[in-house]
Amino acid sequence: MADLPPSRVQAAPPFSTVGVDYGGPFLIKNHKGRGAKTSKSYLCLFICFVTKAVHLELVTNLTSESFIMTFRRFASRRGKPSHVYSDNGTNFVGANSLLKELSLFLKSNGDHINKTFAVEGTTWHFIPAHSPHFGGLWEAGIKSVKSHLRRVLGTSLLTYEEFSTLLSQIEATINSRPLSPLSSDPNDFQPLTPAHFLIGRPLTSLPDPDVSSIPIPRLKAFELVQQLHQRLWKRWSKEYVSELQQRTKWRSHLSDLKNGTLVLLKEDNQPPLHWKLGLVVAVHPGADGVARVASVKTINGVVKRSFAKICPLPIV
């Protein structure tokens, strides 16, 4: 594997270099109530190369005009990027009609989009043909959003306003994920998140009752959006925590957790955007001398957890 490109490792303002990808389609309805007509919509993801922060937009069709308006909404809120990277149209191959739609969009509008942004001072880059792994950063981002979004939506149909609200909450959820310890202070339980680069502080969710188990017919429109967000949070947070746990070397003994290590505790039924963090204060070896349990100091006191429920944050 080659080294990361300079745009991934050099300090730069958030969203100065971004990757773009599309996901979908998703069906939306034009109004509430009976007789509503449905139409296709697409998820457009912008991901920052430096901070890994994401920005989500809802697009109503695959045309260059719609994408340019989407890009202007993004640039108006996040700042105009200097470089934009995206897939090449020939990356989408196979019999899947959805992939053919995205391929046709990129092939037919690539030159128009490139010329439009060149005038505005933004350089557009297409990755090499038939090399989707060159865009692993945005491919991973769109996968984590699209796959879980399809599962929680099911057969539910949302209006444009409701879908946009849901995407904004999903964006906040992803940007709240812990990246590394924020400081070396042993009493500091705050992790560094992509939100720190965007707003200077961690993102928090508004207090909402748990409506994830209430039948859909009993929910109001806003409560339905909250239920979808809560269900996606439960699925996505478990997947993210699992990715932090490296399980590739079961037969070799790795170094034990050290005191003072900031860790993320794997907990179920956490409210959205809440991550349970703590500091390792002691490890407890078993009869064979191998430690598999640790005492972790949290804001609510000291708790004991097995290593399977502990995810050390990477030190950068």
Side-chain angles (χ1 to χ4, degrees), residues 27-63:
L27 291 179
I28 59 174
K29 55 184 180 180
N30 59 351
H31 63 81
K32 298 179 182 179
R34 297 181 178 179
K37 296 182 179 180
T38 61
S39 60
K40 287 183 179 180
S41 64
Y42 298 85
L43 165 67
C44 183
L45 176 138
F46 298 87
I47 186 164
C48 175
F49 270 38
V50 179
T51 64
K52 294 186 179 180
V54 301
H55 180 93
L56 303 179
E57 289 283 349
L58 187 62
V59 190
T60 53
N61 54 65
L62 290 177
T63 61

Coordinates of all heavy atoms in Angstrom, one line a residue, residues 27-63:
L27 N -36.5 7.1 -2.3 CA -37.8 7.7 -2.7 C -38.2 8.7 -1.6 O -38.2 8.4 -0.4 CB -38.8 6.6 -2.8 CG -38.7 5.6 -4.0 CD1 -39.8 4.5 -3.9 CD2 -38.6 6.3 -5.3
I28 N -38.7 9.8 -2.1 CA -39.3 10.9 -1.2 C -40.7 11.2 -1.8 O -40.9 11.0 -3.0 CB -38.4 12.1 -1.1 CG1 -38.2 12.7 -2.5 CG2 -37.1 11.8 -0.5 CD1 -37.5 14.1 -2.5
K29 N -41.6 11.7 -1.0 CA -42.9 12.1 -1.4 C -43.0 13.6 -1.5 O -42.3 14.3 -0.7 CB -44.0 11.5 -0.5 CG -43.8 11.8 0.9 CD -44.9 11.1 1.8 CE -44.8 11.4 3.2 NZ -45.8 10.7 4.1
N30 N -43.9 14.1 -2.3 CA -44.0 15.6 -2.5 C -44.8 16.3 -1.5 O -44.7 17.5 -1.4 CB -44.5 15.9 -3.9 CG -45.9 15.3 -4.1 OD1 -46.4 14.5 -3.3 ND2 -46.5 15.6 -5.3
H31 N -45.6 15.6 -0.7 CA -46.4 16.3 0.4 C -46.9 15.2 1.3 O -46.8 14.0 1.0 CB -47.5 17.1 -0.2 CG -48.6 16.3 -0.9 ND1 -49.6 15.7 -0.3 CD2 -48.8 16.1 -2.2 CE1 -50.3 15.1 -1.2 NE2 -49.9 15.3 -2.4
K32 N -47.4 15.6 2.5 CA -47.9 14.7 3.4 C -49.4 14.3 3.0 O -50.0 15.0 2.3 CB -47.9 15.3 4.8 CG -46.5 15.7 5.4 CD -46.6 16.3 6.7 CE -45.2 16.7 7.2 NZ -45.3 17.4 8.6
G33 N -49.8 13.3 3.6 CA -51.2 12.9 3.4 C -51.4 12.0 2.2 O -50.5 11.5 1.6
R34 N -52.7 11.8 1.9 CA -53.0 10.9 0.8 C -52.7 11.5 -0.6 O -52.7 12.7 -0.7 CB -54.5 10.5 0.9 CG -54.8 9.7 2.2 CD -56.3 9.3 2.2 NE -56.6 8.5 3.3 CZ -57.8 8.0 3.6 NH1 -58.8 8.3 2.8 NH2 -58.0 7.3 4.7
G35 N -52.6 10.6 -1.5 CA -52.4 11.1 -2.9 C -51.0 11.7 -3.2 O -50.8 12.3 -4.2
A36 N -50.0 11.5 -2.3 CA -48.7 12.0 -2.5 C -48.0 11.2 -3.6 O -48.1 10.0 -3.6 CB -47.9 12.0 -1.2
K37 N -47.3 11.9 -4.4 CA -46.5 11.3 -5.5 C -45.0 11.1 -5.0 O -44.5 11.9 -4.2 CB -46.5 12.1 -6.8 CG -47.9 12.2 -7.4 CD -47.9 13.0 -8.7 CE -49.2 13.0 -9.3 NZ -49.2 13.8 -10.6
T38 N -44.4 10.1 -5.5 CA -43.0 9.8 -5.1 C -42.1 10.1 -6.2 O -42.4 10.0 -7.4 CB -42.8 8.3 -4.6 OG1 -43.1 7.5 -5.7 CG2 -43.7 8.0 -3.4
S39 N -40.9 10.4 -5.8 CA -39.8 10.7 -6.8 C -38.5 10.3 -6.2 O -38.3 10.1 -5.0 CB -39.8 12.2 -7.2 OG -39.5 13.0 -6.1
K40 N -37.5 10.1 -7.1 CA -36.2 9.7 -6.7 C -35.4 10.9 -6.1 O -35.6 12.0 -6.5 CB -35.4 9.1 -7.8 CG -35.8 7.7 -8.3 CD -34.9 7.2 -9.4 CE -35.3 5.8 -9.9 NZ -34.4 5.3 -10.9
S41 N -34.5 10.6 -5.1 CA -33.6 11.6 -4.6 C -32.3 10.8 -4.3 O -32.3 9.6 -4.3 CB -34.1 12.2 -3.4 OG -34.3 11.3 -2.3
Y42 N -31.2 11.6 -4.2 CA -29.9 11.0 -4.0 C -29.2 11.7 -2.8 O -29.4 12.9 -2.5 CB -29.1 11.1 -5.2 CG -29.6 10.4 -6.4 CD1 -30.6 11.0 -7.2 CD2 -29.3 9.1 -6.7 CE1 -31.2 10.3 -8.3 CE2 -29.8 8.4 -7.8 CZ -30.7 9.0 -8.6 OH -31.3 8.4 -9.7
L43 N -28.4 10.9 -2.2 CA -27.5 11.4 -1.1 C -26.2 11.8 -1.6 O -25.5 11.1 -2.3 CB -27.4 10.3 0.0 CG -26.3 10.5 1.0 CD1 -26.6 11.7 1.9 CD2 -26.1 9.2 1.8
C44 N -25.8 13.1 -1.4 CA -24.5 13.6 -1.8 C -23.6 13.8 -0.6 O -24.0 14.5 0.3 CB -24.6 14.9 -2.6 SG -23.0 15.5 -3.2
L45 N -22.5 13.1 -0.5 CA -21.6 13.2 0.6 C -20.3 14.0 0.2 O -19.7 13.7 -0.8 CB -21.2 11.8 1.1 CG -20.2 11.7 2.3 CD1 -20.7 10.6 3.3 CD2 -18.8 11.3 1.7
F46 N -20.0 14.9 1.1 CA -18.7 15.6 1.0 C -17.9 15.2 2.3 O -18.4 15.3 3.4 CB -18.8 17.1 1.0 CG -19.6 17.7 -0.2 CD1 -21.0 17.7 -0.2 CD2 -18.9 18.1 -1.3 CE1 -21.7 18.2 -1.3 CE2 -19.6 18.6 -2.4 CZ -21.0 18.7 -2.4
I47 N -16.6 14.8 2.1 CA -15.8 14.4 3.2 C -14.5 15.1 3.2 O -13.9 15.2 2.1 CB -15.6 12.9 3.3 CG1 -14.9 12.4 4.6 CG2 -14.9 12.3 2.0 CD1 -15.0 11.0 4.9
C48 N -14.1 15.7 4.3 CA -12.8 16.4 4.4 C -11.7 15.4 4.5 O -11.7 14.5 5.2 CB -12.9 17.3 5.7 SG -11.3 18.2 6.0
F49 N -10.6 15.7 3.7 CA -9.5 14.9 3.6 C -8.7 14.9 4.9 O -8.0 13.9 5.2 CB -8.6 15.3 2.4 CG -8.9 14.5 1.1 CD1 -10.2 14.3 0.8 CD2 -7.9 14.1 0.3 CE1 -10.6 13.6 -0.4 CE2 -8.2 13.5 -0.9 CZ -9.5 13.2 -1.2
V50 N -8.7 16.0 5.6 CA -7.8 16.2 6.7 C -8.5 15.8 8.0 O -7.9 15.0 8.8 CB -7.3 17.7 6.8 CG1 -6.4 17.9 8.1 CG2 -6.6 18.1 5.6
T51 N -9.7 16.3 8.3 CA -10.4 16.0 9.5 C -11.3 14.8 9.5 O -11.8 14.4 10.5 CB -11.1 17.3 10.0 OG1 -12.2 17.5 9.0 CG2 -10.2 18.5 10.0
K52 N -11.7 14.3 8.3 CA -12.6 13.2 8.1 C -14.0 13.7 8.5 O -14.9 12.8 8.8 CB -12.2 12.0 8.8 CG -11.0 11.3 8.3 CD -10.7 10.0 8.9 CE -9.4 9.4 8.4 NZ -9.1 8.1 9.0
A53 N -14.3 15.0 8.6 CA -15.6 15.4 8.9 C -16.5 15.3 7.6 O -16.0 15.3 6.5 CB -15.6 16.9 9.3
V54 N -17.8 15.0 7.7 CA -18.6 14.8 6.6 C -19.7 15.9 6.5 O -20.1 16.5 7.5 CB -19.3 13.4 6.7 CG1 -18.3 12.3 6.7 CG2 -20.3 13.3 7.8
H55 N -20.2 16.1 5.3 CA -21.3 17.0 5.1 C -22.3 16.3 4.1 O -21.8 15.8 3.1 CB -20.8 18.3 4.5 CG -21.9 19.3 4.2 ND1 -22.3 20.3 5.1 CD2 -22.7 19.5 3.1 CE1 -23.3 21.0 4.6 NE2 -23.6 20.5 3.4
L56 N -23.5 16.2 4.5 CA -24.5 15.5 3.7 C -25.5 16.4 3.1 O -26.0 17.3 3.8 CB -25.3 14.4 4.6 CG -24.4 13.4 5.3 CD1 -25.2 12.5 6.2 CD2 -23.6 12.6 4.3
E57 N -25.9 16.2 1.8 CA -26.9 17.0 1.1 C -27.8 16.1 0.4 O -27.4 15.0 0.0 CB -26.2 17.9 0.1 CG -25.5 19.1 0.7 CD -26.4 20.2 1.2 OE1 -27.6 20.2 0.9 OE2 -25.9 21.1 1.9
L58 N -29.1 16.5 0.3 CA -30.1 15.7 -0.5 C -30.2 16.3 -1.9 O -30.4 17.6 -2.0 CB -31.4 15.8 0.3 CG -32.5 14.9 -0.3 CD1 -32.1 13.4 -0.3 CD2 -33.8 15.1 0.5
V59 N -30.1 15.5 -2.9 CA -30.1 16.0 -4.3 C -31.3 15.3 -4.9 O -31.6 14.1 -4.8 CB -28.9 15.6 -5.0 CG1 -28.8 16.3 -6.4 CG2 -27.6 16.0 -4.2
T60 N -32.1 16.1 -5.7 CA -33.3 15.6 -6.3 C -33.2 14.8 -7.6 O -34.0 14.0 -8.0 CB -34.3 16.7 -6.5 OG1 -33.7 17.8 -7.3 CG2 -34.8 17.3 -5.1
N61 N -32.1 15.1 -8.3 CA -31.8 14.4 -9.6 C -30.4 14.4 -10.0 O -29.6 15.1 -9.4 CB -32.7 14.9 -10.7 CG -32.5 16.4 -10.9 OD1 -31.4 16.8 -11.3 ND2 -33.5 17.2 -10.7
L62 N -30.0 13.5 -10.9 CA -28.6 13.4 -11.4 C -28.4 14.3 -12.6 O -28.3 13.8 -13.7 CB -28.3 11.9 -11.7 CG -28.2 11.0 -10.5 CD1 -28.0 9.6 -10.9 CD2 -27.2 11.5 -9.5
T63 N -28.3 15.6 -12.4 CA -27.9 16.5 -13.5 C -26.8 17.4 -12.9 O -26.6 17.6 -11.7 CB -29.1 17.4 -13.9 OG1 -29.6 18.2 -12.8 CG2 -30.3 16.5 -14.4

